[in-house]
Amino acid sequence: MKPERQPGQSPLTPLPPSSARPLLLCFSHLRWNFVWQRPQQLMSRLARDYDVAFFEEPLFEERPDAVLDTQTVAEGVTVLLPRLPAGLDEAQVAEAQRQLLDTWLAPQSLTSLLLWYFTPMSMTFSVHLQGQMVIFDCMDELSAFRHAPARLTELEHELLARADVVFAGGYSLWKSRTQRHGNVHLLPSGVDIAHFAKAREAQPEPPDQAGIARPRLGYFGVIDERLDLALLEALARQRPAWQIVLIGPVVKIDPATLPRLANLHYLGARPYAELPAYLAGWEVALMPFAMNESTRFISPTKAPEYLAGGRPVVSTPIHDVLNRFDGNGAVLIGATPDEFIAAAEAALQLAREPWQVVEKVDSLIKNMSWDSTCELIREQIECQR
């Protein structure tokens, strides 16, 4: 378990001593202690070469003044969390964050400053910073998400104009951004192969999953507007003997809208370290994404994770899934409920001979590791800084 952040820590807390390494200041729309995915995978590895400061979106509280909490969450990684008074307008929010950030940066002994953006919204308070290099990691089409800020598209245009390099988290994003920037690199999400390969061996059954009958078809990840809830309900209704396990936090949608059937099991969020144990208890892994604007550009991290765990995957026809995995035999596609169920039937048959799945996926995922991805990133940074 990661330590809890202590509120009210000094805004002047410097980074731990280092051998004069560059500071990689990362602006993220996702919290470090949220679902472990691309930002955490990349920053925890890049911290081997850079001091990483991970600047999160603010929390608004009943408090008289703004404060910047700091927490060391991994070797070389410091999370910076602005806590702001409730009721500030947009301009005041930006100014408060700018002051907190500038105050924190002032005592740092910087050899060089690298600016990494996961979200263009951070431009509102950081555009004045003069980094040796500006990096935009376009991991999602954030403007297509529910409740996207009105200025997001405008600020992305500004960020693309400033960025020295752009990394795209999927083929669709890469194709879109190559029309708007001259140095865009396709870097799909990777996989911690050794971590998820644990699911290929017998694991102690998590207590909350142990009592669920088989066969089990599972999903882990955020449960939000990108999931096709109608498809999930049809799957559960038409195959009542199948047990569908969903692991992850419910975000941006009303939990009351989730289908509730006896064979649908919502287990809530679980730590990243525990996911292989859950995966080991499934016959088939699911990616029941809706086909809408919010999924048009996604390149799901979980696809290679499922495959590394030796599980066949059933997905809706997400463009980047088709581009990356279709035809390898371990990822089966279904667009309609009937097609999805037929694909799941075939996947369950495939799961009876797991060695077939392993043969199909090992050659595919061997070059998809996060370590390989970070090596490519380091090359780009060091060649341009």
Side-chain angles (χ1 to χ4, degrees), residues 58-335:
L59 289 178
F60 297 94
E61 305 169 330
E62 294 300 327
R63 58 181 310 117
D65 53 9
V67 65
L68 188 68
D69 282 357
T70 67
Q71 181 190 22
T72 300
V73 293
E75 185 174 356
V77 181
T78 301
V79 168
L80 309 178
L81 171 63
R83 295 179 179 270
L84 306 184
L88 300 182
D89 62 28
E90 184 177 327
Q92 290 171 324
V93 168
E95 179 59 19
Q97 290 182 92
R98 186 190 67 77
Q99 290 185 12
L100 289 173
L101 181 57
D102 286 353
T103 301
W104 183 82
L105 283 170
Q108 306 298 331
S109 300
L110 298 180
T111 57
S112 62
L113 175 64
L114 310 175
L115 303 174
W116 182 298
Y117 291 85
F118 282 112
T119 171
M121 292 306 298
S122 298
M123 290 279 288
T124 60
F125 61 87
S126 64
V127 69
H128 66 290
L129 295 177
Q130 298 299 310
Q132 187 179 13
M133 187 175 183
V134 176
I135 303 150
F136 177 26
D137 189 348
C138 185
M139 63 175 283
D140 282 309
E141 187 62 72
L142 297 178
S143 62
F145 283 19
R146 186 173 296 184
H147 310 310
R151 292 192 62 198
L152 185 60
T153 300
E154 168 198 344
L155 289 169
E156 182 175 336
H157 283 300
E158 293 184 21
L159 179 54
L160 286 168
R162 287 194 69 202
D164 297 291
V165 62
V166 177
F167 299 125
Y171 178 79
S172 299
L173 288 168
W174 172 81
K175 189 173 181 181
S176 170
R177 270 52 182 189
T178 52
Q179 302 169 18
R180 299 160 57 188
H181 194 279
N183 188 25
V184 184
H185 299 266
L186 175 60
L187 285 180
S189 291
V191 58
D192 186 339
I193 295 173
H195 180 65
F196 285 97
K198 297 172 188 175
R200 300 184 181 193
E201 306 295 334
Q203 299 287 318
E205 189 81 84
D208 55 349
Q209 184 169 273
I212 298 175
R214 292 179 181 269
R216 298 179 192 146
L217 298 84
Y219 166 90
F220 56 65
V222 179
I223 299 172
D224 59 14
E225 76 272 20
R226 292 173 294 177
L227 285 194
D228 189 335
L229 300 183
L231 173 61
L232 273 176
E233 182 169 5
L235 180 65
R237 287 192 184 280
Q238 294 183 41
R239 293 296 185 273
W242 294 358
Q243 305 304 310
I244 302 166
V245 178
L246 296 107
I247 294 173
V250 179
V251 177
K252 294 189 290 184
I253 61 174
D254 184 351
T257 64
L258 298 176
R260 302 288 177 176
L261 295 163
N263 58 335
L264 281 171
H265 307 273
Y266 300 97
L267 303 187
R270 292 294 179 269
Y272 177 76
E274 297 178 10
L275 294 181
Y278 285 93
L279 184 59
W282 303 345
E283 280 72 34
V284 171
L286 300 177
M287 296 199 299
F289 289 110
M291 302 301 294
N292 58 30
E293 280 301 306
S294 67
T295 62
R296 181 182 171 194
F297 293 95
I298 66 170
S299 182
T301 306
K302 59 187 58 54
E305 292 173 344
Y306 290 156
L307 295 173
R311 295 302 178 271
V313 178
V314 179
S315 176
T316 48
I318 297 298
H319 185 274
D320 279 19
V321 173
L322 295 177
N323 184 68
R324 200 175 186 193
F325 300 107
D326 192 31
N328 81 313
V331 179
L332 298 95
I333 305 296

